[in-house]
Amino acid sequence: VDENAKGIGDVRIHERLGGQLAVLHCEEPWDDIPAQRDRFLNEWLPSSEYVRDERPFFFMFYNNPHMNRLTLTIVDLCLPVKK
């Protein structure tokens, strides 16, 4: 994990097979996740030293937000990046 990643304080860069991932961990109501994704792509990414690569953006869920919409959605927003 690159602790020197610039931008949103809770974004971390992880080395994975296939390249680097910028990961934003969220524990938010389901309806707030799109705003977090937009902030990640429109604020963090342009202010960082990284660019988006050709691999797809994906979500890693730690619970099922559709089972109980009153609880927090726990998810990692994973953005493949390169320098």
Side-chain angles (χ1 to χ4, degrees):
V1 176
D2 182 355
E3 295 295 331
N4 297 317
K6 295 180 182 177
I8 299 171
D10 42 357
V11 172
R12 297 292 178 247
I13 304 300
H14 296 264
E15 293 288 337
R16 295 287 185 256
L17 186 62
Q20 296 179 318
L21 289 176
V23 178
L24 175 61
H25 181 78
C26 296
E27 296 185 20
E28 305 281 340
W30 172 253
D31 292 338
D32 293 347
I33 297 301
Q36 292 296 334
R37 180 206 56 221
D38 292 346
R39 186 172 70 102
F40 190 23
L41 295 173
N42 299 324
E43 293 178 24
W44 179 81
L45 186 58
S47 70
S48 76
E49 59 190 89
Y50 297 92
V51 295
R52 191 171 182 173
D53 78 9
E54 61 279 353
R55 295 172 293 148
F57 184 96
F58 65 94
F59 298 86
M60 184 177 299
F61 290 93
Y62 295 97
N63 66 348
N64 186 342
H66 301 293
M67 296 294 288
N68 183 351
R69 293 183 69 93
L70 300 177
T71 62
L72 295 179
T73 300
I74 304 170
V75 61
D76 285 342
L77 308 182
C78 302
L79 176 65
V81 295
K82 59 187 175 185
K83 285 190 177 184

